[in-house]
Amino acid sequence: MQTIRSIKKMQAVARQFAAEGKTIGLVPTMGFLHEGHLSLIDRAKKAADVVITTIFVNPTQFTPHEDLTKYPRDEKGDIRKIKSAGCDIVFIPKAIDIYPDDFQTYVSVEKLSQTLEGAARPTHFRGVTTIVAKLFNITRPDVAVFGMKDFQQAIVLKQMTHDLGYPLKLIIAPTVREKDGLAMSSRNKYFTPDQRPEARALYYALRTAKEMVASGIDSARKIEKEMRAVIAATCPSAEIDYIAFTDDVGLKKVGRVAKSTICSLAVRMHRVRLIDNMKLTGRG
Ligand code: AMP
């Protein structure tokens, strides 16, 4: 596996792959990798001839009150994991190369970036779409893989890919969970062993929602009420940022659960903000 840090070099290598007729799969990450990230590499390997994983803790997607310097990092460990996942290239650009001092161009998906996570973190998605657009331009992927864990992010990026006409297929891969259901996340490491069991609250709430739908209840209001009770019982100090029932394309809020309904939620507990989501009908 090759480690590339220069944008120019990455562009040249990507062009070379294309000249050889090889399709490129891209997996953008912020590092501190877990099995969820590695599952995206696996998925990309199935869909493309060569896979490029990127590690970049993107400053523009952190909102002013979020601490970029505290974001967990483990470059050595990440490179080892990416290599053993069978990835071909790891691209680790420098912040100053991605955002030079005279940088002033942003990509923004107007409507979809404003609800849910966007309401809580106003400039977040503008940062995400800007960095992903840059990574698309540098690596020219045929396929890009993102996690369902960040459902709204995937939807926003789908819209950007469509609107800007990137010639690539965007794949949304399923959420990988810990044994107790907690969605894997780099942020989970912030919990102490005592606090950690309470982090199951989100998964328990989503399972409850799914079970209620399976039993014939389709009122979002009723389901939300029950979810709030489950969260309070599992983690009494939890503060619910939002619980939302939306469709899976335009993120339109729905009052009744239908086939395409996704339930998304954000909860703060022990100073950690967790997000999760689940499709409420069928599998997954
Ligand atoms: P991050 O490094 O947190 O920015 O995430 C990089 C990519 O990994 C994004 O596409 C995430 O949606 C995805 N991802 C994060 N956690 C998981 C997980 N538990 N399962 C599947 N994909 C994930």
Side-chain angles (χ1 to χ4, degrees):
M1 185 183 72
Q2 199 180 350
T3 303
I4 298 178
R5 294 177 192 273
S6 134
I7 292 178
K8 274 221 168 82
K9 173 88 201 241
M10 186 66 256
Q11 284 168 324
V13 168
R15 269 200 301 271
Q16 182 61 30
F17 284 142
E20 290 166 7
K22 289 179 177 152
T23 55
I24 297 174
L26 178 71
V27 179
T29 81
M30 296 215 296
F32 207 74
L33 303 183
H34 49 64
E35 281 168 45
H37 296 113
L38 302 181
S39 76
L40 306 187
I41 298 177
D42 250 14
R43 185 67 190 82
K45 277 168 65 183
K46 290 196 183 99
D49 297 326
V50 290
V51 177
I52 302 170
T53 301
T54 68
I55 302 176
F56 183 64
V57 182
N58 178 34
T60 59
Q61 73 187 70
F62 287 76
T63 44
H65 62 277
E66 293 168 348
D67 197 347
L68 167 71
T69 57
K70 280 207 184 124
Y71 196 82
R73 290 162 210 249
D74 176 19
E75 191 181 290
K76 261 197 196 149
D78 287 344
I79 293 174
R80 194 171 14 88
K81 287 176 196 165
I82 294 170
K83 189 174 176 193
S84 40
C87 183
D88 302 274
I89 307 277
V90 57
F91 176 46
I92 314 178
K94 291 192 192 66
I96 189 68
D97 293 338
I98 293 286
Y99 300 114
D101 289 339
D102 62 347
F103 185 86
Q104 52 190 301
T105 305
Y106 291 87
V107 177
S108 177
V109 172
E110 303 275 310
K111 287 187 198 145
L112 293 173
S113 297
Q114 283 170 21
T115 58
L116 310 177
E117 282 303 283
R121 309 170 72 195
T123 52
H124 171 67
F125 286 117
R126 184 183 79 148
V128 170
T129 38
T130 300
I131 184 60
V132 173
K134 286 205 77 160
L135 293 172
F136 282 179
N137 293 339
I138 294 165
T139 63
R140 309 274 189 98
D142 298 280
V143 173
V145 186
F146 296 91
M148 180 70 184
K149 160 77 175 24
D150 300 280
F151 160 65
Q152 186 180 9
Q153 169 174 285
I155 296 296
V156 166
L157 290 171
K158 244 191 176 163
Q159 187 69 39
M160 177 189 84
T161 301
H162 173 76
D163 289 347
L164 298 184
Y166 283 109
L168 62 86
K169 183 177 171 200
L170 195 149
I171 295 174
I172 304 177
T175 300
V176 177
R177 297 178 180 280
E178 302 286 356
K179 275 207 187 79
D180 67 355
L182 173 65
M184 288 190 183
S185 163
S186 313
R187 292 193 161 91
N188 296 348
K189 78 155 216 139
Y190 295 130
F191 293 115
T192 64
D194 281 356
Q195 296 166 348
R196 171 58 186 82
E198 297 190 349
R200 289 180 283 202
L202 286 81
Y203 180 69
Y204 282 4
L206 288 166
R207 290 296 319 176
T208 301
K210 199 161 172 137
E211 278 159 25
M212 287 176 80
V213 172
S215 78
I217 299 164
D218 70 352
S219 156
R221 196 178 45 80
K222 268 192 197 155
I223 297 170
E224 178 174 340
K225 195 170 165 217
E226 200 54 40
M227 289 175 77
R228 284 180 181 273
V230 169
I231 291 168
T234 316
C235 178
S237 66
E239 289 166 42
I240 298 170
D241 211 340
Y242 62 80
I243 296 178
F245 299 80
T246 68
D247 74 277
D248 59 359
V249 181
L251 300 179
K252 253 212 212 97
K253 297 224 164 115
V254 298
R256 301 226 166 259
V257 172
K259 224 177 164 188
S260 62
T261 303
I262 307 281
C263 179
S264 308
L265 76 170
V267 179
R268 273 172 217 281
M269 54 175 76
H270 307 296
R271 305 170 75 146
V272 183
R273 187 170 180 280
L274 295 178
I275 59 168
D276 202 347
N277 66 77
M278 199 175 274
K279 187 164 186 277
L280 292 185
T281 61
R283 293 193 310 129

